[in-house]
Each structure stands twice: as C-alpha cells, then as structure tokens.
Amino acid sequence: GDFALYGPLWAHVYRDPHSRHLLDNAPHVRKWFERLHGHRRDDGCPELPVRRQHQQELSTGSFLQHDEVPARLDSVFMNLFKEQWPYLAGMSAQIDELAGRGTSESAAATMRIPRALGSAPFCVGGCSGSRRQITYQVWRLQRVLDTYRGLEGTDQQVADKWLTRLQASDLF
C-alpha cells in the first residue's frame, strides 16, 4: 500500500519544485517520503538522506538457489492471475479485434489504438465494479506473454512448473 501512494505523490507532487509546496504543512508525509526513498541519491531532492548501509546489504545479498520464486509469494501471484489477468486479457482481445477489422496485417501494425475502449467489469478482493479500459495497460500483459513465448528448453520447463503450481498454466 505504501508504494501505491508513494509513487504518484513522489513523482508528481514532491519531486516537482512547483508543487512541492503543497506538502509544506505535512511534515509526517515528508518524513514518510524520506523513510521510503532512502535507497539512493536523487538529484531532484538532494537534501534527502541516503541510507548507505542498505546499499551494502543489497550488494552482499544472494539470490535464491536456481533463481526460484519463493512459495510464500504464490498467493500474491495467484491473486494477480485471478483478478488482474482477466481484465487485461479482455482488453487485449478487444484491441486485437479492433486492429483486425477489415485491415491488412501491415495496416493493423501501424494503426493507432484509442487511448480508452470504454468500460469493463473487474473484481478485486471479492468486490466487483466497472472501470475504463486504458489501452496502454495491455503492454503489461504483452510483455509477460512475449517473454514466456521466447523461453526454450529448461527455462520453458521451469516456467511451466511454476505456472502449474500457481494454477495458471492454462492462461499461457
């Protein structure tokens, strides 16, 4: 939750010298920014401290054996496949349909896709709603699919095993 709030506030309010004053009367928010941001020097905010010991900890750490995804993260990924994937896949199918309507393959490749396609249903945490389909979000799905389709041999087998563990292999 912290990073969902931090990202836009940091990038679009606090780092912008013209809007930073909006947080002048919010010392707790500024301290929160400092706690979250302390990983590296930022030329836009040179006054913020940098936690050097954190950088050292990262440089001496090690990856999990065989570059595994820990099983304790399964519920996070299963939730993404259950809740976010259908929304993105539905929008992707609409874009494919739009690009394929009476156009040649070369024309479809250069076609401008609208910024939004209208509304679509979604479900998060058991709560349903409807939201605009902002088409640039499809790159998230496309990047995952392109990476998966580029796998071969052992890499493909490891990915398939992981997707099976997440009950998501049918999505690929």
Side-chain angles (χ1 to χ4, degrees):
D2 273 344
F3 289 104
L5 292 171
Y6 166 80
L9 285 174
W10 173 262
H12 302 294
V13 178
Y14 194 69
R15 274 197 94 236
D16 185 342
H18 300 289
S19 61
R20 187 178 299 166
H21 72 278
L22 296 171
L23 297 170
D24 285 347
N25 293 324
H28 297 295
V29 173
R30 294 173 74 107
K31 286 289 186 190
W32 175 66
F33 279 152
E34 290 177 15
R35 285 193 309 272
L36 287 175
H37 183 75
H39 62 281
R40 66 179 177 86
R41 176 76 50 214
D42 186 334
D43 294 336
C45 300
E47 71 280 3
L48 289 181
V50 176
R51 292 186 299 252
R52 300 226 182 268
Q53 73 277 8
H54 183 67
Q55 291 175 340
Q56 291 169 351
E57 290 170 14
L58 289 176
S59 65
T60 60
S62 61
F63 290 106
L64 294 177
Q65 189 176 13
H66 308 296
D67 199 25
E68 297 170 351
V69 178
R72 68 181 173 271
L73 294 178
D74 284 1
S75 62
V76 173
F77 285 105
M78 289 172 89
N79 192 47
L80 287 173
F81 284 123
K82 178 182 169 192
E83 294 182 351
Q84 188 174 15
W85 194 275
Y87 175 80
L88 293 174
M91 188 173 7
S92 180
Q94 282 188 298
I95 291 171
D96 288 347
E97 182 182 323
L98 181 67
R101 282 190 197 147
T103 58
S104 67
E105 190 172 319
S106 61
T110 59
M111 178 183 182
R112 288 186 65 99
I113 301 298
R115 182 181 171 124
L117 296 177
S119 293
F122 71 94
C123 182
V124 174
C127 297
S128 298
S130 181
R131 64 171 287 198
R132 281 183 71 195
Q133 292 179 301
I134 309 299
T135 55
Y136 81 88
Q137 297 170 339
V138 171
W139 72 266
R140 298 177 203 179
L141 175 69
Q142 195 60 54
R143 185 172 62 177
V144 170
L145 291 172
D146 288 348
T147 300
Y148 176 79
R149 290 175 184 146
L151 296 175
E152 297 177 355
T154 304
D155 291 336
Q156 175 81 44
Q157 293 170 356
V158 169
D160 287 343
K161 182 179 176 183
W162 182 68
L163 290 168
T164 299
R165 186 173 92 199
L166 298 176
Q167 302 169 13
S169 57
D170 60 326
L171 299 174
F172 288 79

